Amino acid sequence: ITPGLVTSLVEERKNGEFKDFSSFIARMKPLGLTQVQTLALISSGALDEFGYNRDTLTANIANNFIYADIVASSVEGQLSLNYNDNPPPEMIKVERNLQLELDNEFEVLGFFLSGFPLIYERKRIQEKGFVCANEALNLDDKVKVVVYISSYKTIKTKNGDYMASLKTMDETGELNVTVFPKEFLAFEHLIKKGNYVQIVGSMQQNDLPSLVVKQMKIFNLKEEA
């Protein structure tokens, strides 16, 4: 989202609040709003005020951009919007996907603003013996966590093998994770940004504490750990 678009949005809002999703797009498209930018605004939560979940707003981007072209007219070089003979399209409602919603929010903003997905699973996760990231930092023996992979990098060892260093997180904080070559061979396919994984390992208390992986598998929200 460009600074220019933000400025245009703020200025246009001075002409009156955006009453709904359709009028928002109709008013902003002539000022340069694109479908990609609209998707980013939806994912960030900026359009939640219109009363629809983000999946529903996303599903209605295209038809509302068509509507914006229909209602736009030019009189003596001045843009005007003719709503009278052109009712807005009916919103196609889509079931909310909370995990996808929050993942998209993280992708756009770089952090979870509305809440961390694992919060909704915390009680069940704890019942299975998994601890939070901030608790794991103070442990050294067998540690079990469920975390979100926010980034990772692969490292080539002196022996020519590959290992990985992961940045992971949950709602309590960040946790560095180390995957040595043997485990990397077994779990490489699971190491992807955006994956939720359950890890069994041990804490390595160096200058930068890190959880050393022994076991790893995908954790599916709303499914048994």
Side-chain angles (χ1 to χ4, degrees):
I1 301 173
T2 64
L5 176 64
V6 174
T7 300
S8 297
L9 195 158
V10 172
E11 289 300 313
E12 177 60 27
R13 192 164 56 187
K14 292 178 181 178
N15 296 323
E17 294 292 324
F18 300 109
K19 67 176 184 177
D20 55 33
F21 186 55
S22 295
S23 65
F24 170 77
I25 292 178
R27 288 167 60 183
M28 290 303 302
K29 183 177 184 292
L31 300 178
L33 179 70
T34 68
Q35 294 194 37
V36 172
Q37 290 169 332
T38 303
L39 179 59
L41 288 169
I42 291 170
S43 296
S44 71
L47 305 186
D48 287 354
E49 66 182 74
F50 293 134
Y52 294 97
N53 68 55
R54 297 176 195 177
D55 294 290
T56 292
L57 292 175
T58 299
N60 286 273
I61 291 176
N63 59 357
N64 276 286
F65 265 77
I66 294 172
Y67 172 71
D69 289 332
I70 292 173
V71 300
S73 60
S74 180
V75 179
E76 296 180 354
Q78 297 295 315
L79 180 72
S80 63
L81 298 173
N82 178 19
Y83 296 114
N84 294 333
D85 301 324
N86 302 289
E90 184 176 348
M91 293 290 283
I92 303 167
K93 295 183 179 179
V94 177
E95 185 177 355
R96 184 186 188 192
N97 183 329
L98 180 60
Q99 179 178 347
L100 179 61
E101 177 181 306
L102 294 175
D103 286 348
N104 287 340
E105 182 178 280
F106 184 87
E107 189 67 27
V108 170
L109 299 177
F111 57 89
F112 292 103
L113 179 65
S114 302
F116 200 95
L118 293 176
I119 290 176
Y120 307 100
E121 302 288 325
R122 182 53 57 193
K123 182 178 179 181
R124 180 171 65 84
I125 290 172
Q126 288 178 327
E127 289 174 348
K128 296 294 182 179
F130 293 87
V131 300
C132 297
N134 65 345
E135 295 176 298
L137 290 172
N138 299 315
L139 301 175
D140 51 19
D141 294 329
K142 186 176 181 180
V143 177
K144 296 171 61 179
V145 296
V146 175
V147 289
Y148 174 90
I149 300 176
S150 55
S151 66
Y152 71 92
K153 63 179 180 180
T154 55
I155 304 164
K156 190 173 184 179
T157 68
K158 294 179 180 179
N159 294 328
D161 299 319
Y162 285 92
M163 57 181 289
S165 175
L166 283 57
K167 295 289 186 182
T168 72
M169 59 193 299
D170 67 11
E171 72 275 17
T172 68
E174 297 183 344
L175 183 64
N176 293 303
V177 174
T178 299
V179 187
F180 284 120
K182 178 182 176 181
E183 286 72 26
F184 183 77
L185 285 173
F187 306 125
E188 179 184 5
H189 63 292
L190 306 180
I191 302 173
K192 295 179 181 179
K193 180 181 177 180
N195 274 357
Y196 295 85
V197 290
Q198 57 187 68
I199 298 173
V200 177
S202 58
M203 287 301 301
Q204 194 174 66
Q205 297 292 352
N206 296 325
D207 293 337
L208 185 65
S210 180
L211 176 60
V212 178
V213 170
K214 298 301 180 186
Q215 300 174 33
M216 179 189 293
K217 73 174 186 176
I218 289 293
F219 177 81
N220 294 307
L221 298 188
K222 298 182 180 179
E223 292 185 11
E224 287 298 316

